[in-house]
Amino acid sequence: MTRRTAPADQLLCSVVVPVYNGETVIERCLDALGCQSVPGHRYEIIVVDDGSRDATPAVVTAWAACHPDAQVRLLRQQNAGPAAARNHGAREARAPLVLFTDGDCAPTRTWVEAMAAPFIDDGVVGAKGTYVTEQRALIPRFVQAEYEDRYDRMRGQPQIDFIDTYSAAYRRDIFLENGGFDPIFTTASVEDQEFSFRLAQKGYRLVFAPDATVSHLHDSDLGEYFRRKYYIGFWKALLIRWHPERMVQDSHTPQVLKVQIVLLAAMLGLAAMAMLGVFWAPLGWLWIGVGASVLAFAATTAPFVAKLAHRSPGLALAGFLMLVVRALALGSGYFVGTIHFAGTVPGARQPVIPGWKRLIKRAVDVTGALLGLAISIPLVAMAALAIKLDSPGPIFFWQVRVGENGRKFRIAKLRTMVADAEEQLPALVDLQRLDEPAFKLPQDPRVTRVGRILRRTSLDEAPQFYNVLRGDMSLVGPRPEEERIVQLYQDHHRRRLAVKPGLTGPMQVSGRGDLSFADRLQLELDYIEHYSLWRDFAILARTLPAIIHGNGAR
């Protein structure tokens, strides 16, 4: 299908719509995309037909013929799933921004405008919009209420880690550089979550754009709802194996949902055992546990059911049953998926630190931090007195650093420089002419007499045991980086943000300040790519000798 197209430099965005057997819905989607508030020459529409067996391609071709001013392209591929279809469209896109929606969605008139608006900020890499529905049946209204409950969680968050592709946007260059959606997800499931988790792991900024709304045809009956949730749970098992840190929390999933799945599993398990009480009477007491599980489950549903009551008494009455169905579908899907994906993780992706190693590493961190604080507090007290006697200014130096997944936190150090050190920096270093973003002055005149001793012994970093205890840092990991340096990272450098920064690490035992920025990054990336608990223990064992020898201490 050949069309008149605007020059690429005039395009604001490319809208990619994957579709499979969508002859009954795709025209509604195109009608909505054809009448956006943004002028038609500023965006193109790329429909990717994923091997449809119905008349979908003919419907798209006919729509394009009736709308000669619309910039529409139809791409066709063998059936490979929506992830592969979206990637195909992104590769063919000509604009710097790629917007995604689905064939059964009808974007509102201002959708393109609202979806592109966050990218005025050069630091934004991805954005997530919202669903609405015009359906009035009970189950679609419940589905909409679920989504809006999650949107409430995201409102006000400066950064998110979860973007659904029904209303999504990414910078095309970063999308392609990171490989797009993983085609191992052959059905619409969690491929969008996995990609956004990958970007968030590198510290890229993803934001919520609540005004970027699409009208969707939600699940129309209980069976359709159960199947969708089941397959989400099934593929979530693989997703969690790749990103075990997301088992704990993400910006989209309510924590109470995980509690409900566990409670329902306990309820069903206890009930099965209690029924055996007809053969062995003592098991009958397990019915008390069943009752307690039911009451606990009901208690966890109360806040959401109360929200439903504000919408409709009928929704509230159905709410408890629907939440049971949701927990059952997600839980059973996750259980089957866990068995299915047991053993070697399929695909090219591997978790940075597997789940069980994360637990051990955190246990070591807490133990080490408590021990370190107990030993260092008397030394820090003496150092604090020396700092006060040596130079005017505060005892502690606080600075914002970038941690795991790009999260910002305040790091604590004993002050080793004069109070106006930051103000003196421009007179000492021309930051614009540096060969590397990170630097160490060999004889920094801003360092105080006491500060030189603290740096030589690394005692200035003892307060960071507090950061380790809080969970901002680990005992071992890459150096906690400054914001200005992270902003200068190339994409492959951002891999170092996949783990928590460390109080010590490969840099501290391999030359410290004598290392160039490139050498330090290479050491830290190697540490991440070949992570092991034994390597952590080896680095901890080498840290004290490195401090005693003082190599690279500045």
Side-chain angles (χ1 to χ4, degrees):
M1 185 173 66
T2 303
R3 307 277 299 173
R4 176 181 62 81
T5 58
D9 59 2
Q10 293 184 15
L11 289 174
L12 169 67
C13 61
S14 301
V15 181
V16 176
V17 185
V19 61
Y20 173 72
N21 290 348
E23 64 179 0
T24 61
V25 295
I26 190 62
E27 188 171 2
R28 171 176 173 265
C29 178
L30 291 173
D31 284 342
L33 287 172
C35 58
Q36 291 289 303
S37 59
V38 172
H41 69 276
R42 297 282 285 146
Y43 66 99
E44 64 175 348
I45 304 169
I46 301 174
V47 179
V48 185
D49 179 69
D50 186 33
S52 294
R53 298 180 179 181
D54 63 4
T56 297
V59 172
V60 175
T61 301
W63 188 93
C66 294
H67 299 79
D69 293 332
Q71 299 188 73
V72 185
R73 282 191 282 163
L74 173 64
L75 306 179
R76 303 184 70 170
Q77 65 177 37
Q78 291 185 344
N79 181 247
R86 294 188 190 101
N87 292 344
H88 187 180
R91 288 192 296 269
E92 296 294 326
R94 298 184 300 132
L97 297 181
V98 181
L99 278 56
F100 295 101
T101 190
D102 294 327
D104 58 355
C105 294
T108 56
R109 187 173 182 275
T110 58
W111 179 72
V112 169
E113 181 180 357
M115 203 79 261
F119 294 91
I120 295 174
D121 182 344
D122 291 337
V124 171
V125 167
K128 166 187 168 60
T130 58
Y131 265 150
V132 294
T133 188
E134 298 172 3
Q135 297 163 285
R136 305 315 306 159
L138 184 67
I139 289 177
R141 288 165 60 207
F142 175 84
V143 173
Q144 182 62 33
E146 272 191 301
Y147 281 111
E148 293 188 10
D149 181 55
R150 299 182 184 204
Y151 300 153
D152 289 343
R153 287 170 47 82
M154 291 186 164
R155 284 188 174 87
Q157 295 187 31
Q159 190 165 331
I160 62 174
D161 55 25
F162 192 115
I163 294 181
D164 299 284
T165 46
Y166 56 77
S167 182
Y170 292 102
R171 294 193 187 276
R172 179 175 177 271
D173 56 345
I174 293 177
F175 179 89
L176 294 177
E177 190 170 7
N178 283 273
F181 304 109
D182 197 313
I184 194 172
F185 300 102
T186 54
T187 61
S189 52
V190 295
E191 73 281 3
D192 43 8
Q193 298 177 35
E194 193 280 325
F195 180 68
S196 55
F197 287 168
R198 247 188 293 148
L199 292 186
Q201 191 178 69
K202 290 185 173 183
Y204 282 121
R205 189 176 174 211
L206 313 176
V207 299
F208 183 45
D211 295 329
T213 301
V214 298
S215 177
H216 182 244
L217 301 174
H218 292 331
D219 304 318
S220 58
D221 58 56
L222 196 59
E224 188 177 358
Y225 177 80
F226 185 92
R227 284 191 298 274
R228 180 172 63 85
K229 291 292 186 181
Y230 174 86
Y231 282 111
I232 288 174
F234 178 84
W235 288 106
K236 193 89 168 184
L238 176 59
L239 176 65
I240 293 301
R241 297 209 53 193
W242 286 351
H243 301 276
E245 70 278 10
R246 300 302 175 185
M247 171 67 86
V248 179
Q249 188 175 12
D250 63 64
S251 60
H252 184 263
T253 308
Q255 293 294 84
V256 71
L257 174 56
K258 302 165 189 176
V259 175
Q260 289 169 356
I261 292 173
V262 171
L263 286 173
L264 184 63
M267 189 190 316
L268 295 176
L270 289 172
M273 295 178 65
M275 285 189 288
L276 296 176
V278 297
F279 303 107
W280 191 43
L283 289 177
W285 289 98
L286 292 177
W287 286 113
I288 297 175
V290 174
S293 299
V294 171
L295 291 175
F297 188 97
T300 65
T301 67
F304 184 63
V305 171
K307 276 189 175 184
L308 294 178
H310 286 293
R311 292 169 168 268
S312 153
L315 269 180
L317 289 173
F320 180 81
L321 174 61
M322 291 298 299
L323 292 174
V324 169
V325 171
R326 181 178 73 176
L328 179 62
L330 288 169
S332 57
Y334 188 84
F335 177 75
V336 173
T338 300
I339 296 172
H340 180 80
F341 296 117
T344 304
V345 180
R349 309 194 193 287
Q350 300 290 333
V352 177
I353 305 179
W356 66 272
K357 289 184 180 180
R358 292 181 72 89
L359 292 175
I360 295 175
K361 184 175 176 67
R362 181 58 185 153
V364 172
D365 285 346
V366 172
T367 303
L370 291 172
L371 183 61
L373 286 171
I375 294 172
S376 64
I377 283 175
L379 299 175
V380 169
M382 289 187 288
L385 179 60
I387 290 169
K388 272 301 185 183
L389 294 174
D390 182 52
S391 64
I395 294 171
F396 294 101
F397 172 71
W398 295 87
Q399 189 178 45
V400 174
R401 295 294 178 97
V402 180
E404 185 181 29
N405 296 335
R407 295 190 191 98
K408 297 174 185 176
F409 67 99
R410 295 184 73 208
I411 197 172
K413 300 178 73 173
L414 289 171
R415 181 174 60 84
T416 60
M417 290 186 173
V418 295
D420 62 343
E422 294 295 320
E423 289 74 14
Q424 292 185 27
L425 183 60
L428 298 172
V429 179
D430 186 347
L431 297 175
Q432 302 301 319
R433 295 190 176 184
L434 288 175
D435 293 331
E436 298 180 328
F439 66 92
K440 283 279 189 181
L441 297 177
Q443 296 295 327
D444 196 328
R446 301 171 299 164
V447 180
T448 64
R449 290 173 298 174
V450 170
R452 293 191 189 283
I453 298 172
L454 295 177
R455 288 188 171 201
R456 174 66 176 75
T457 59
S458 292
L459 186 58
D460 62 317
E461 297 186 356
Q464 291 167 33
F465 281 117
Y466 171 70
N467 290 110
V468 175
L469 191 61
R470 278 175 48 91
D472 299 325
M473 296 174 61
S474 177
L475 289 178
V476 182
R479 172 190 174 89
E481 202 70 278
E482 297 176 43
E483 284 185 277
R484 67 171 186 84
I485 296 177
V486 172
Q487 291 171 359
L488 299 173
Y489 275 0
Q490 297 177 19
D491 183 81
H492 70 280
H493 294 151
R494 288 179 170 272
R495 176 69 168 165
R496 69 183 299 283
L497 301 178
V499 299
K500 290 179 182 178
L503 185 59
T504 185
M507 170 195 172
Q508 286 83 347
V509 299
S510 303
R512 299 166 78 179
D514 290 340
L515 295 172
S516 69
F517 178 69
D519 289 341
R520 171 166 69 83
L521 279 175
Q522 186 58 45
L523 275 174
E524 292 172 339
L525 290 173
D526 181 75
Y527 165 81
I528 292 170
E529 295 299 333
H530 303 95
Y531 176 79
S532 73
L533 290 170
W534 290 117
R535 193 170 189 179
D536 273 4
F537 291 129
I539 289 173
L540 286 171
R542 292 169 58 194
T543 297
L544 185 58
I547 292 173
I548 293 172
H549 290 134
N551 295 332
R554 294 180 184 175

